Amino acid sequence: MSTDPNLPLVIEAKDCKYTLIPKTTTHEEVLQIWRDVSGFITRRLLKKKAVNITGLGIFTVLKRKLDIGNNGKLCVQRPIFVLSEKFAQTHGVTYTKYQLLGEVPVTQLNFAAIATDLGIERSVVEVCVKEMIGVFARAVNTHRFGEMAFNDIGRLVVKDNKAKMKFSKDFLRLMDNSNVINLIPIPLGRPRTSDSFISQNSVLSTPNSNKSSNLVLPKIERTEVWERPPSVVSNHGASLVLSPIEPLCENIAEVTEANVMILNL
């Protein structure tokens, strides 16, 4: 059985002299709380919702649509982590900044929901989460290095005063909702974006777009349109009368004087 990568953080958080974690809470229980935190984040991201972890940062989804010509659109969608500005300034850490358009709703980490799922008190969940973040911050501040794992999501690494969230490929596939993901990076018009992943199902074009560059429009069925028969307007006293024109006879010889209109100039 592999060791949980967060175990060193949990041991330091639990055994610290000034810790607020209850003495009755075991190391495994703290690890389980953090696993449920990761599960909560995963469920929200799959629903295209962001999660704010106070004192640490925000997990959200970045969406971009690129024009690839021939009326084709390429939808770029990937999870990102935005480090807390206060955390970065306090510990002198730099990170990649993104322009978020507010199209993804942000929710707070729900301590009550996690506590209900685990059958423990809400206050215990909140204390454990805050102590884990505090231990991570002290490691960054003291050793200039820190690593925090989010189960099934990835790892937040701070090294050489630079913070980076490394998402696992399995999680990216899960976010993409596809069994196959194209790992070939494409340029997004900005430097340092080689960690972008594009889904094969993200091309907004026709079903045969991978075989031909021709755009096939849907077939429009022709419907019958009623046409009013031709008519003439005649003046009968003070009123105008609209009379239909009778069809011409097939035999011109059968045309009578009643069908011929003589125009007197």
Side-chain angles (χ1 to χ4, degrees):
M1 182 177 180
S2 59
T3 304
D4 194 303
N6 284 326
L7 184 57
L9 293 178
V10 171
I11 293 176
E12 185 174 349
K14 181 71 172 59
D15 300 342
C16 178
K17 181 179 179 180
Y18 303 102
T19 185
L20 298 177
I21 300 176
K23 295 182 179 180
T24 55
T25 304
T26 65
H27 293 159
E28 180 57 34
E29 288 174 337
V30 178
L31 288 172
Q32 186 57 51
I33 289 174
W34 196 255
R35 294 189 194 105
D36 266 48
V37 168
S38 301
F40 180 88
I41 297 172
T42 299
R43 291 190 296 271
R44 289 300 184 273
L45 289 178
L46 290 176
K47 294 180 180 180
K48 306 302 181 290
K49 294 182 179 180
V51 179
N52 178 44
I53 304 177
T54 303
L56 188 63
I58 298 177
F59 283 92
T60 185
V61 178
L62 183 66
K63 299 178 180 179
R64 292 290 184 270
K65 290 183 179 180
L66 305 177
D67 188 1
I68 59 175
N70 292 331
N71 296 326
K73 294 289 184 179
L74 195 62
C75 183
V76 180
Q77 177 176 292
R78 60 169 178 168
I80 60 173
F81 176 77
V82 182
L83 190 67
S84 167
E85 185 68 26
K86 183 178 181 180
F87 186 99
Q89 292 180 356
T90 301
H91 304 288
V93 177
T94 61
Y95 63 98
T96 303
K97 296 184 179 181
Y98 300 91
Q99 183 180 3
L100 303 179
L101 303 179
E103 56 186 5
V104 179
V106 180
T107 59
Q108 297 296 323
L109 186 61
N110 195 328
F111 298 122
I114 297 173
T116 302
D117 184 52
L118 295 176
I120 59 179
E121 296 181 2
R122 178 192 180 280
S123 59
V124 175
V125 174
E126 185 175 1
V127 165
C128 289
V129 171
K130 289 183 177 180
E131 288 294 325
M132 287 286 288
I133 296 174
V135 169
F136 177 74
R138 288 195 295 271
V140 172
N141 190 53
T142 304
H143 307 293
R144 314 313 302 167
F145 175 83
E147 182 173 332
M148 176 178 284
F150 292 85
N151 302 76
D152 300 326
I153 298 178
R155 296 178 297 120
L156 175 61
V157 179
V158 177
K159 185 178 180 181
D160 298 330
N161 297 332
K162 296 180 181 179
K164 185 175 183 179
M165 182 66 199
K166 299 180 179 181
F167 291 95
S168 68
K169 293 180 180 180
D170 290 338
F171 181 73
L172 292 173
R173 292 189 181 96
L174 183 63
M175 283 292 297
D176 187 68
N177 196 23
S178 173
N179 293 327
V180 180
I181 189 168
N182 182 12
L183 298 180
I184 302 176
I186 66 168
L188 300 183
R190 304 188 312 273
R192 301 180 63 182
T193 54
S194 60
D195 55 345
S196 302
F197 293 88
I198 309 302
S199 166
Q200 291 182 350
N201 299 330
S202 299
V203 180
L204 305 182
S205 58
T206 61
N208 296 325
S209 60
N210 58 340
K211 297 180 180 180
S212 174
S213 59
N214 296 329
L215 180 64
V216 181
L217 297 176
K219 183 178 180 180
I220 301 177
E221 296 182 358
R222 184 176 181 180
T223 57
E224 296 294 334
V225 180
W226 179 82
E227 297 182 359
R228 191 180 67 183
S231 58
V232 295
V233 179
S234 59
N235 189 352
H236 291 270
S239 60
L240 297 177
V241 179
L242 184 65
S243 303
I245 297 179
E246 297 181 0
L248 295 177
C249 300
E250 295 181 359
N251 191 348
I252 302 300
E254 296 179 1
V255 178
T256 62
E257 295 180 358
N259 300 109
V260 180
M261 299 181 61
I262 301 176
L263 181 62
N264 295 323
L265 300 177

